[in-house]
Amino acid sequence: MPVPDSLSLAQARRIALAAQGFADPAPTGVPTRRHLRRVLDRVGLIQIDSVNVLQRAHYLPLYSRLGPYPTELLDRAAGRAPRELFEYWGHEASLIPVDLQPALRWRMERAHRDAWGGIRRIVVEQPDLVDWVRAEVRARGPVTAAEIEQDTVRPTGNWGWNWSAVKTALEYLFWAGEITSAGRNGSFARRYDVPERVLPPRVMAAPTPTEAQAHRQLVEIAAASLGVAAEPELRDYFRLSAAAVRPVLADLVADGVLRPVRVEGWRQPAYLHHRARLPRWVRARTLVSPFDPLVWERARTERLFGLRYRIEIYVPAAQRVHGYYVLPFLDGDQLTALVDLKADRAAGVLRVPAVWAVPAATTDPDQTAAALAGELARLAGWLGLAAVVPPVTGDLAGPLTRALAAAGAPGAAGVPWDFPAEERA
């Protein structure tokens, strides 16, 4: 469908969802590396976070777009040759396609200026430590911070090295691109190594673009992944500065890559990517991680979906509005519910501490609850949990409890997914 110059809010939502891959057809079998690449082409990068109350954050964007899939698919892409992803600072800590590494070298080169204060100071205050850590990674990598710390010499002289300083030195070298991550261990700790042993030779040999060229590439990826967006979220996608992005936007408009459009209710000028498509409908029905690129930029989430969404992990329990680890529920082209979830692995159940309706959604609460009950069963099955426990509180607790009972849950709301090895390639 051709995209007009003036968009209704519903049209802007469908464009945004299609750009993020939510309008793509679901896999007909077990998702493969081809499906992984399709999602990566849509989203550009995947954020990493250590919270594991439900599932590690980087696994969830693929689930939201593909449904139940073997997580080894992502593990292999990020940890084995031929490596497709590497870890670096994109939108926070992220898994990023390896071919994008040259476009982030400007950030690496600015580590001495842009890294956090404590990280910057280590190279000035303890250069001998930084040199030693660098040499340790080169000699022993892949290696964790704890493994290096075990060999730290305390001593002789007045260096006074300790684990905190070793970790800080590693973080500086990681930011500077002098070392990188070869993956993470079972405790989610980075395994550091030198780039030439992690990244493909073609990436190491690729020329370094100018900062202007790199910023243009990153903004174009953000624009394609968002479909339609205002300047703040185009900057936010890769954490770019306004000074760097504004001239890039002007160039992209002049070159026809972006087109200024108006979106109903938006005060900010909006930009439409030239490949953005406007589907007649979106039939997605899935839960979305708090760290999903669809909802990264909270102001855009509020403008598109009428949802004021915040992560409340670090909010004191008594002050939380919706819960500890709350996921939006996408049904069609609307976010219709907020669900606080916990994977109770010891008990083998998916717990729902709270569930709330999104006031801006136009669906009936019973319809939302019925759709959500099916999605919770699917999620529980993917996580290997045998049942969904009815919600404790929230304005959708009653309807969802009834919907779970009608669907036969709790009791056997999920069947653990077991993917044969030959279907994981």
Side-chain angles (χ1 to χ4, degrees), residues 12-31:
R13 279 199 304 269
R14 297 202 303 273
I15 290 170
L17 290 165
Q20 282 281 305
F22 289 102
D24 292 341
T28 55
V30 176

Side-chain angles (χ1 to χ4, degrees), residues 241-325:
S241 70
V245 167
R246 284 171 183 161
V248 168
L249 285 179
D251 289 345
L252 290 171
V253 170
D255 293 343
V257 177
L258 298 182
R259 172 158 58 99
V261 293
R262 296 180 300 278
V263 178
E264 176 190 359
W266 289 23
R267 294 181 180 179
Q268 304 96 323
Y271 299 90
L272 181 81
H273 193 269
H274 71 104
R275 288 198 306 269
R277 62 190 182 97
L278 173 56
R280 294 184 182 277
W281 51 74
V282 174
R283 290 175 171 156
R285 182 170 286 177
T286 191
L287 286 156
V288 176
S289 161
F291 303 99
D292 194 288
L294 179 67
V295 294
W296 272 345
E297 218 287 330
R298 306 308 193 202
R300 180 175 185 262
T301 302
E302 188 166 359
R303 295 198 315 272
L304 273 175
F305 298 101
L307 170 62
R308 192 173 188 274
Y309 178 53
R310 300 291 184 271
I311 296 178
E312 298 181 274
I313 293 172
Y314 304 109
V315 175
Q319 299 175 26
R320 291 178 193 138
V321 177
H322 296 113
Y324 179 78
Y325 196 76

Side-chain angles (χ1 to χ4, degrees), residues 370-393:
L372 179 56
E375 168 58 11
L376 290 172
R378 185 177 76 146
L379 176 65
W382 179 59
L383 295 175
L385 303 172
V388 180
V389 177
V392 176
T393 190

Side-chain angles (χ1 to χ4, degrees), residues 48-384:
I48 298 171
D49 191 83
S50 61
V51 176
N52 196 27
V53 67
L54 180 68
Q55 173 63 292
R56 296 287 187 197
H58 58 290
Y59 292 125
L60 286 167
L62 287 171
Y63 169 83
S64 297
R65 290 155 179 82
L66 300 177
Y69 76 99
T71 55
E72 294 92 337
L73 194 65
L74 184 59
D75 293 339
R76 284 199 306 274
R80 300 181 196 170
R83 183 184 294 269
E84 297 188 52
L85 299 168
F86 80 109
E87 184 179 341
Y88 189 60
W89 297 109
H91 181 94
E92 302 298 331
S94 304
L95 290 174
I96 304 169
V98 292
D99 289 322
L100 203 55
Q101 192 264 1
L104 292 164
R105 289 175 188 165
W106 63 272
R107 180 166 284 164
M108 299 171 186
E109 293 167 359
R110 290 186 180 187
H112 67 284
R113 189 182 79 186
D114 293 348
W116 302 309
I119 296 177
R120 291 199 312 270
R121 286 195 300 272
I122 195 76
V123 74
V124 175
E125 297 173 357
Q126 301 192 63
D128 290 335
L129 170 62
V130 175
D131 291 342
W132 179 81
V133 169
R134 184 190 296 111
E136 281 287 286
V137 172
R138 180 167 295 280
R140 299 178 53 200
V143 63
T144 65
E147 289 167 340
I148 293 180
E149 191 273 340
Q150 290 171 3
D151 290 347
T152 300
V153 179
R154 302 192 187 263
T156 78
N158 50 8
W159 292 9
W161 295 349
N162 55 38
W163 184 90
S164 177
V166 167
K167 178 63 174 173
T168 302
L170 285 166
E171 288 301 309
Y172 174 80
L173 293 168
F174 177 81
W175 192 305
E178 295 186 52
I179 63 175
T180 189
S181 173
R184 295 195 178 234
N185 66 13
S187 301
F188 206 60
R190 280 196 193 114
R191 298 165 58 246
Y192 295 96
D193 208 342
V194 291
E196 55 266 33
R197 290 200 293 256
V198 173
L199 298 173
R202 73 172 191 282
V203 173
M204 296 299 297
T208 300
T210 66
E211 281 194 34
Q213 291 169 335
H215 280 91
R216 179 182 171 116
Q217 184 178 1
L218 296 174
V219 171
E220 187 169 355
I221 290 170
S225 297
L226 293 169
V228 61
E231 180 198 308
E233 47 261 28
L234 291 170
R235 290 193 281 110
D236 178 72
Y237 215 78
F238 283 95
R239 300 296 204 224
L240 305 175
S241 70
V245 167
R246 284 171 183 161
V248 168
L249 285 179
D251 289 345
L252 290 171
V253 170
D255 293 343
V257 177
L258 298 182
R259 172 158 58 99
V261 293
R262 296 180 300 278
V263 178
E264 176 190 359
W266 289 23
R267 294 181 180 179
Q268 304 96 323
Y271 299 90
L272 181 81
H273 193 269
H274 71 104
R275 288 198 306 269
R277 62 190 182 97
L278 173 56
R280 294 184 182 277
W281 51 74
V282 174
R283 290 175 171 156
R285 182 170 286 177
T286 191
L287 286 156
V288 176
S289 161
F291 303 99
D292 194 288
L294 179 67
V295 294
W296 272 345
E297 218 287 330
R298 306 308 193 202
R300 180 175 185 262
T301 302
E302 188 166 359
R303 295 198 315 272
L304 273 175
F305 298 101
L307 170 62
R308 192 173 188 274
Y309 178 53
R310 300 291 184 271
I311 296 178
E312 298 181 274
I313 293 172
Y314 304 109
V315 175
Q319 299 175 26
R320 291 178 193 138
V321 177
H322 296 113
Y324 179 78
Y325 196 76
V326 176
L327 287 75
F329 176 52
L330 176 65
D331 191 2
D333 67 353
Q334 297 185 80
L335 297 177
T336 61
L338 291 171
V339 195
D340 188 16
L341 293 176
K342 175 181 174 58
D344 187 340
R345 296 173 179 89
V349 297
L350 179 63
R351 299 195 181 276
V352 188
V355 59
W356 309 88
V358 174
T362 59
T363 54
D364 176 80
D366 289 328
Q367 291 178 330
T368 296
L372 179 56
E375 168 58 11
L376 290 172
R378 185 177 76 146
L379 176 65
W382 179 59
L383 295 175

